Amino acid sequence: MQKVQRFEIWQKLFSLNEYRNEHFHKLNAIKREWANATKLACIWNKIEPVDKCQLSFVFVVPDRKRRDVDNYAATVKMVIDGLVAAEVLLDDSFQYVQKIEMEIQVKPKAFGIVCEIKSDE
């Protein structure tokens, strides 16, 4: 049977375009911010450690402006690093994270990410 754990982080998403153009000092601060937000979300939602898993990310945006879903891979990377820091994942290699799904959903006046962790019980 598959176990599904879910958490949400409501803050501005970070795109690969922004990642590519930022100064490394600011990038490090943004990475820490996302790792901390992920860790707090895991604690708040009582996310339990998993061995092997599949991750599903829903990027919540406020409008229907044209966006490339893969452009938010930078946010996914920072959230996954946060899952490792929170000790939900042992490592972020393919042996542990076996599948990643991404989609965009429109919700007026909202910016954030919804993450589902699917694992075998």
Side-chain angles (χ1 to χ4, degrees), residues 18-37:
E18 293 167 309
Y19 190 88
R20 165 183 77 212
N21 295 327
E22 279 301 342
H23 188 274
F24 73 93
H25 284 298
K26 188 168 181 184
L27 273 179
N28 287 337
I30 292 167
K31 288 177 192 177
R32 278 192 306 277
E33 179 182 322
W34 274 96
N36 289 337

Side-chain angles (χ1 to χ4, degrees), residues 67-94:
R67 292 177 169 88
D68 296 337
V69 70
D70 61 333
N71 204 16
Y72 293 110
T75 299
V76 169
K77 171 70 174 144
M78 290 185 273
V79 170
I80 293 174
D81 288 346
L83 289 170
V84 173
E87 298 180 356
V88 171
L89 298 177
L90 188 59
D91 188 45
D92 58 358
S93 65
F94 69 89

